[in-house]
Amino acid sequence: MTRTVSPLFAQASAGIVSAPHFLSAEAGANILRCGGNAIEAAIAVGSTLAVVYPHMNGLGGDAFWLISDGNAETVRGLAAAGPAGQHYSTATFLDAHLHEIPFRGGRSALTVPGAVAGWGAAYEFSRNTWHGSLSWGDLLEAAYLYAARGFPISPNQSTTLARFAPDLREQPGFLQQYLPSGEVPTAGTLWTQHALSETLKTLAKEGANSFYQGELAETMIRGLRAAGSLLTEADMSAFKTDWVEPLRVAFGQGEAINFPAPTQGVASLMILSILDRLKAHLGDHLSADFIHYNVEITKQVFRWRDQVVADPYFHDFDLRKLLQEDFLSEIDALIQPGRVLPTPDIGIGDGDTVWFGVADAAGRTVSVIQSLYHEFGCGVMAGDTGVIWNNRGCAFSLKKEQINGLEPGKRPFHTLNPAMYAENGRVQMAYGSMGGDGQPQTQAAILMRAKHYGLSLEEAVASPRWLYGRTWGERSAGLRLEHRYPKQVYADLQRWGHSLSWVPDYSDVMGHAGIVRLRSGLGSTFAAAADPRSDGGVVGVDAT
């Protein structure tokens, strides 16, 4: 299997993959070379990422997909994110004298993971609608081989392990899974995951449903309950994915497309739309004005996001109201040059995630995001399966009056939101990023730089970025700038009243972004970029 480092930018004539780990990009490209379509390749990318980037995502996590056959009107959303178990409510924790849901351990394993079901639903859609021809086992083969035979640990995984291992090593199965020698493996160390390879072998043989019913599901639930989780086999077997209608808003010469609730996709669209309306005031893409307008818009958008975005089965609010021109006009009227508005009381939106995009020779495109929420999720291995469980449930509130209060069968609020951009009725770009509250901000930076400022894809992704928000342990939100910004930009923002700090060049704090572009005309049909802040890569496929 090829293990050569992929470049961070590529062009091709018959399909392309962008992913935050180069081995997963190569796995997807191999499927395209074998005649697979964009969905089939994306399943190979996603399953491989679950193996080679385990601090960011895994079989025990969630996923959201945007799927396009090329026609902007037919873009579909696939929500593969699970709800809280039936034994969970605010009383579950309050009666135990806990006033917030723990971030780690079995008590934080309270939602059913949807990622594997998402692969299965996407596979069925591919076979039934796109006439996909590759077998389910073919699509999981790269993931299985990397788990069974090993792969070189990436620098990002090694540094993340070093940071979080002291807090997680006592969680059931964590030491066995990630620190078999007792020490943090250095980057480049060949690492195998035999328990996970056996789970992947079961999935390849028995299908995605075996993750939710049968012996594998029973083993995982036993392990979780021994660690303090209240999830049951009935919670697992009851889970179903949802096909949903995406949200859309006019942007530039086309439209931006994103995911509805329970994700913050509406926030990403609101920011883009307001920036588009105020573009005459933004200055250069590296200017203090561009950052200032983005931050002030983000403050107002997040204020609305936190009031209305929740599981639509529990809170039925029409998010399209927030995308109407008259409503957005009320927000953009608040944004003034050099004027810093009060900081709203926004929630903490940290977390690690992977975004990846695939386009095939027919122009069919997918934009996908997967996550365990925090690095390594709750830190608990579900039995001896090699599956580390998500801790997405700690995004719930224990205040019953809040819109995202914990209830049985309810999905938590998700920062995850995959994106697309369309012009003239055709999907032109798929893009996205990890980064919690940073995702809408990074999406705005990428699309504005690519479409409004006309930067190349590499520049759009790699250029210096900012992040507004609050991270763990902080009492108030602040603005971070990568140190590659000119000092005058920092001075201007500080003079206007922004609370600022520097972060290192190409910092993980800014997220791992990526973009795939389809274009018609002479020359290459596809182009893509991956983020130098990640261990990512782009692999293109040319017609033979």
Side-chain angles (χ1 to χ4, degrees):
M1 187 173 293
T2 302
R3 296 197 178 188
T4 56
V5 176
S6 305
L8 296 176
F9 173 78
Q11 295 179 325
S13 61
I16 207 158
V17 180
S18 174
H21 194 290
F22 67 91
L23 293 178
S24 62
E26 183 63 37
N30 281 335
I31 295 299
L32 294 178
R33 294 185 189 109
C34 293
N37 62 44
I39 289 175
E40 292 170 322
I43 294 169
V45 175
S47 58
T48 301
L49 277 170
V51 174
V52 302
Y53 236 35
H55 52 304
M56 298 282 191
N57 76 133
L59 276 66
D62 294 312
F64 294 93
W65 295 59
L66 287 181
I67 296 173
S68 165
D69 62 5
N71 184 341
E73 295 302 316
T74 61
V75 177
R76 306 185 73 188
L78 175 60
Q86 291 300 315
H87 293 299
Y88 283 103
S89 67
T90 55
T92 306
F93 294 95
L94 295 177
D95 290 351
H97 307 291
L98 295 171
H99 298 288
E100 64 178 21
I101 297 169
F103 296 144
R104 306 292 195 182
R107 280 182 161 175
S108 66
L110 59 100
T111 63
V112 176
V116 175
W119 301 342
Y123 179 70
E124 291 304 315
F125 178 85
S126 166
R127 290 183 67 85
N128 295 334
T129 306
W130 289 2
H131 309 295
S133 59
L134 298 184
S135 74
W136 170 251
D138 289 338
L139 308 184
L140 300 187
E141 182 179 13
Y144 166 74
L145 291 176
Y146 283 129
R149 299 179 183 177
F151 64 94
I153 284 183
S154 71
N156 195 277
Q157 182 181 345
S158 180
T159 56
T160 304
L161 261 175
R163 179 182 175 191
F164 291 99
D167 294 330
L168 291 172
R169 62 189 307 137
E170 301 305 319
Q171 297 298 338
F174 187 87
L175 194 68
Q176 170 190 348
Q177 176 83 341
Y178 296 112
L179 304 169
S181 68
E183 302 295 329
V184 174
T186 58
T189 301
L190 191 69
W191 185 53
T192 58
Q193 301 170 83
H194 292 299
L196 186 59
S197 73
E198 289 301 309
T199 293
L200 285 163
K201 184 188 293 185
T202 298
L203 291 176
K205 180 180 179 181
E206 300 179 12
N209 198 48
S210 64
F211 191 84
Y212 299 90
Q213 297 182 40
E215 184 176 348
L216 174 58
E218 293 167 3
T219 299
M220 291 191 295
I221 290 299
R222 281 198 301 271
L224 291 174
R225 291 183 73 85
S229 174
L230 301 180
L231 285 174
T232 67
E233 295 168 22
D235 293 327
M236 292 288 285
S237 63
F239 175 67
K240 297 290 186 296
T241 58
D242 279 345
W243 290 99
V244 299
E245 182 67 25
L247 296 173
R248 304 164 185 267
V249 73
F251 176 82
Q253 300 302 308
E255 64 175 356
I257 305 171
N258 213 303
F259 220 90
T263 83
Q264 66 172 337
V266 68
S268 294
L269 296 182
M270 292 172 72
I271 292 170
L272 280 169
S273 183
I274 298 170
L275 284 171
D276 196 40
R277 299 160 68 91
L278 298 175
K279 56 181 176 287
H281 305 282
L282 300 180
D284 179 78
H285 81 100
L286 292 177
S287 69
D289 285 312
F290 184 54
I291 298 171
H292 169 76
Y293 274 91
N294 270 279
V295 170
E296 295 307 307
I297 292 168
T298 297
K299 288 179 183 179
Q300 302 308 310
V301 166
F302 280 4
R303 187 194 304 272
W304 281 99
R305 177 201 68 178
D306 293 346
Q307 292 180 50
V308 301
V309 177
D311 188 337
Y313 290 116
F314 287 75
H315 300 278
D316 186 17
F317 179 86
D318 186 358
L319 295 177
R320 291 172 296 183
K321 293 179 180 178
L322 302 186
L323 300 174
Q324 292 176 353
E325 188 169 335
D326 56 348
F327 181 81
L328 293 173
S329 295
E330 294 178 11
I331 296 179
D332 70 46
L334 300 173
I335 314 302
Q336 301 296 326
R339 177 189 176 197
V340 175
L341 295 169
T343 299
D345 183 18
I346 60 173
I348 298 174
D350 233 355
D352 275 351
T353 299
V354 293
W355 174 89
F356 55 96
V358 183
D360 65 27
R364 296 169 297 202
T365 309
V366 297
S367 180
V368 188
I369 196 160
Q370 298 182 164
S371 180
L372 291 168
Y373 198 23
H374 295 155
E375 297 86 346
F376 300 105
C378 73
V380 175
M381 187 198 294
D384 58 356
T385 63
V387 175
I388 296 293
W389 219 255
N390 73 86
N391 65 340
R392 182 61 63 173
C394 67
F396 280 119
S397 171
L398 294 183
K399 297 178 180 179
K400 292 182 179 180
E401 68 275 11
Q402 289 198 0
I403 192 170
N404 279 292
L406 174 59
E407 296 182 57
K410 184 178 180 179
R411 291 174 296 178
F413 166 80
H414 279 266
T415 53
L416 312 179
N417 64 119
M420 287 182 173
Y421 172 76
E423 275 187 17
N424 300 317
R426 303 294 296 176
V427 170
Q428 186 185 87
M429 293 180 176
Y431 62 99
S433 176
M434 61 164 268
D437 278 342
Q439 287 183 38
Q441 301 173 67
T442 299
Q443 287 188 17
I446 291 172
L447 195 60
M448 286 293 293
R449 284 169 169 164
K451 298 303 298 182
H452 175 60
Y453 293 104
L455 271 62
S456 68
L457 297 191
E458 307 107 295
E459 292 175 309
V461 171
S463 290
R465 293 205 291 263
W466 72 91
L467 177 68
Y468 169 77
R470 180 162 61 103
T471 58
W472 304 110
E474 294 182 328
R475 293 178 178 268
S476 61
L479 174 60
R480 294 163 178 79
L481 301 186
E482 282 190 303
H483 219 291
R484 292 180 291 147
Y485 275 104
K487 292 182 179 179
Q488 187 59 48
V489 169
Y490 189 100
D492 288 343
L493 290 166
Q494 191 172 53
R495 176 167 51 86
W496 295 338
H498 290 281
S499 176
L500 288 168
S501 60
W502 289 114
V503 298
D505 295 353
Y506 301 102
S507 171
D508 264 354
V509 170
M510 298 298 154
H512 299 165
I515 189 167
V516 168
R517 184 183 65 201
L518 298 79
R519 64 185 182 193
S520 57
L522 298 176
S524 297
T525 305
F526 305 97
D531 203 320
R533 301 166 183 84
S534 71
D535 301 302
V538 174
V539 183
V541 176
D542 288 314
T544 55

